[in-house]
Amino acid sequence: MKVRIVSGVNEDLLKEVREKVKTYLKEVVDDFVEVDGILSFTYGSVTVNVEVVPWHRDDVLVKVFSYLAENAQLSDDLMRTLLEMNARFPLGAFAVSMGDSVMYRYSIAGANLDLNEFVAAVYTVATVADSYDEFVREYGGGSGRID
């Protein structure tokens, strides 16, 4: 079977998956807020964010992410440590975003999203981010929770 990936945005699918994500999130956490299409909740000392974005005509991405520190000193040592830690985690990855922010993120395809897969993504990001935010701030400086 040949699969063709065609560019474009499937607005109906985007809306459908956003609603599914909201329903799933209500099953996973007690309370969340939505600002500019990003759903957020607090877990321990971090804020976990969920965003559904276009990918291609037949699918969307569900991005789950948490910022661990902003304005971090991104030394070679810190970057190497984060990359080595990425090799140990089976799901998700540490990343650097604009403003020298360190984050943990995990993206999954949304067209066939199920609750188990969604919970795995949310749980992974929440627990890893909450476990390593202080380490990243101590190691690389920077400030805490980015809301």
Side-chain angles (χ1 to χ4, degrees), residues 8-15 54-60:
V9 177
N10 184 331
E11 292 293 339
D12 291 336
L13 181 60
L14 199 56
K15 183 178 178 181
W55 186 18
H56 58 81
R57 188 185 71 192
D58 297 321
D59 212 341
V60 297

Side-chain angles (χ1 to χ4, degrees), residues 33-46:
V33 296
E34 181 176 6
V35 177
D36 296 329
I38 298 176
L39 306 164
S40 302
F41 65 93
T42 300
Y43 182 88
S45 59
V46 297

Side-chain angles (χ1 to χ4, degrees), residues 60-115:
V60 297
L61 281 179
V62 178
K63 296 169 43 177
V64 183
F65 59 97
S66 180
Y67 290 95
L68 284 68
E70 69 177 336
N71 299 317
Q73 299 299 314
L74 301 177
S75 67
D76 290 346
D77 225 16
L78 175 60
M79 301 302 278
R80 181 179 178 86
T81 299
L82 294 175
L83 284 172
E84 287 173 351
M85 289 177 11
N86 278 347
R88 290 191 304 243
F89 290 115
L91 304 169
F94 290 96
V96 176
S97 66
M98 295 174 53
D100 293 335
S101 296
V102 177
M103 62 191 303
Y104 195 80
R105 62 177 189 75
Y106 180 164
S107 296
I108 50 180
N112 297 305
L113 183 67
D114 64 28
L115 180 60

